[in-house]
Amino acid sequence: MKTILLLAALLVPSLLPAANDIEPIRVQISGEPSSLDPALITDVSGYLIASNVYLGLFYLDAQGKLRNGLAESYEMKNGGKLFRFRLKKNIYWSDGKPVQIADFVFALKRTLDPATAARDVSYLFSIKGARKYYKDKTGELGIREKNGALEIELEQPDAALLQVLSMPLAAPLRPDFWPEGKWKAGAPSTGHYRISSVEKGQKILLVPNEKNPSTGQLPVMFFVIPDETIAANMLETGRMDVTSSLPLLDLPRLKKEGWVKSFSSATTSYLGFQLQREPFRGRDARAAVARAVQKKELVQVLGGVDLPAESYLPPGLAGHGKASAPKESKAASFSGQTLRLGFAGTATNRTIAEKIQDDLAKRAGIRVTLEPMEWKVYLASLRSEQAPELFLLGLSAAFNDPISHLMVFAPGNSDNYSRNQNAKYAELFQTVQGLPAGKKRDRAVAQAEKLLEEETILVPLFYRAQLYGLSPKVKGFAANPFRMIRLNDLRRE
């Protein structure tokens, strides 16, 4: 125990008090966020921070339900192709300036600007002129201020639009604090928090936004601590309030002692392939890998808290169901080949990777080397031509709609790390995007998922439960199914 405490003291940045000597809620995250720019976020930690800093027209509450944020009301016209939003009265930025409709127009145009290279920009492609604007910044864009309201005109109905507008990428931004469209630390915020300081690779301090406060709200300090054992030790010794990752070996004991809190999650962990490279250009090789992976055994190795994935879409999202029987495939030969399996280098991910490595060796004769990487390095690797042939990722739905899961494999999407170019899938995805909510859209969703399964575009592994280490002194903690935590609800006894 002394050795672990000493190691923690050496590796973890000092736990300094927040502004005004108010002790912050201390939250461990396992990796530095890929970005704090609301248009560039790719990971859960960054999204958690941004969703508490950048408040837009809507937000998701503790149950994952859509609620009005800065929007007072909205109306839908022209068969769902025109939305008109009116803002609440007397809403301000954290520096005291009034929030303007023009701030929303600027933010949405910035997200669609190709120079921004927004990660989830395709969520906005239903907006009139958005695809062309994203291509060359020309043409009429259906985003404007008109008669004291924000108008968004669409090319076709979009069942997910209101949910998309709850994302940080659609929150307002102030042009004077975003020179040349680049994120700038210290920019004013609209959410319950503002970012006070960032120490790269170490910690991020959020302090209450005095112009949008909650009664009794506390500052929050995020600490970047990749080692799950160190984080758990700090929790048990009173030096951390919340941990977002837990060591597998200690999980039974921590649960028994009451340190662990569990929530459902619309998250699928999966094994991906480089589809444009051998040996996975052909389905037979992918099917051989899928047959070899033992999902139920994997879940047991991980402590039995997750559910083996029956299909790609997780429970709770429209289209979820048991996977259909895969197409027949020929035996694939991997003779003389050694494949690489990449993953973000946490202890849990290594356990998953080692289990898959063992399954592939024993059941398919496939030799695999493991390549753990720091999160940012891993993402850069997946985007490069030297990406590993196999890779582990998890996909958390951004909101209550299957579009966020389906989008990952859409040709042209920036997070399509598999480089899927299946033309039929692209057509189905566009169909889903262009349909209003209802049975017809649900059928298109089911067809898109069925194609992913039949072609073995990926191997769904398990539906991940949300597990957090939580100090008994912290009250008000809840994580919605989309892995978001309303930090302003947290209190300390």
Side-chain angles (χ1 to χ4, degrees), residues 203-245:
K203 54 191 175 184
I204 301 167
L205 175 61
L206 305 188
V207 297
N209 173 5
E210 295 178 357
K211 298 300 180 180
N212 189 8
S214 292
T215 303
Q217 181 180 350
L218 295 173
V220 177
M221 183 80 84
F222 288 90
F223 291 92
V224 181
I225 305 173
D227 191 296
E228 298 156 341
T229 300
I230 291 175
N233 177 267
M234 294 181 70
L235 178 71
E236 292 185 89
T237 54
R239 301 171 63 209
M240 194 63 61
D241 298 308
V242 180
T243 64
S244 61
S245 56

Side-chain angles (χ1 to χ4, degrees), residues 274-461:
Q274 288 299 325
L275 299 174
Q276 302 305 314
R277 299 215 321 257
E278 298 297 347
F280 296 124
R281 289 175 65 88
R283 180 186 170 277
D284 293 340
R286 304 194 297 268
V289 170
R291 286 193 297 267
V293 175
Q294 303 300 297
K295 300 178 186 180
K296 290 182 180 180
E297 292 179 10
L298 174 59
V299 165
Q300 291 306 309
V301 168
L302 294 175
V305 295
D306 305 306
L307 294 174
E310 299 174 320
S311 59
Y312 175 48
L313 295 177
L317 294 186
H320 166 72
K322 291 187 177 181
S324 56
K327 292 180 180 178
E328 293 295 324
S329 64
K330 299 177 182 178
S333 174
F334 296 87
S335 178
Q337 299 183 67
T338 299
L339 305 179
R340 297 177 297 145
L341 171 56
F343 57 96
T346 65
T348 298
N349 283 340
R350 176 172 284 279
T351 299
I352 297 169
E354 289 176 348
K355 171 58 178 165
I356 291 173
Q357 181 188 44
D358 186 61
D359 285 346
L360 295 185
K362 290 180 177 178
R363 296 176 177 273
I366 303 172
R367 293 196 301 271
V368 172
T369 60
L370 305 185
E371 294 190 0
M373 304 174 219
E374 186 273 330
W375 175 244
K376 284 188 175 182
V377 175
Y378 182 46
L379 288 181
S381 170
L382 292 179
R383 297 184 188 115
S384 75
E385 295 301 318
Q386 289 73 45
E389 294 88 356
L390 293 161
F391 58 90
L392 291 176
L393 278 178
L395 196 284
S396 296
F399 43 73
N400 191 15
D401 193 277
I403 199 72
S404 56
H405 269 67
L406 298 180
M407 185 175 289
V408 169
F409 293 96
N413 182 265
S414 57
D415 292 332
N416 181 8
Y417 300 120
S418 295
R419 294 161 173 82
N420 178 40
Q421 299 298 323
N422 188 292
K424 186 176 180 181
Y425 183 81
E427 181 181 346
L428 283 168
F429 178 73
Q430 289 181 7
T431 298
V432 171
Q433 277 193 310
L435 287 172
K439 292 182 179 180
K440 190 173 180 180
R441 185 173 187 263
D442 290 346
R443 285 195 296 270
V445 169
Q447 288 176 319
E449 181 175 49
K450 182 179 180 181
L451 188 148
L452 290 174
E453 294 163 357
E454 288 182 341
E455 295 300 322
T456 320
I457 302 299
L458 75 155
V459 182
L461 298 174

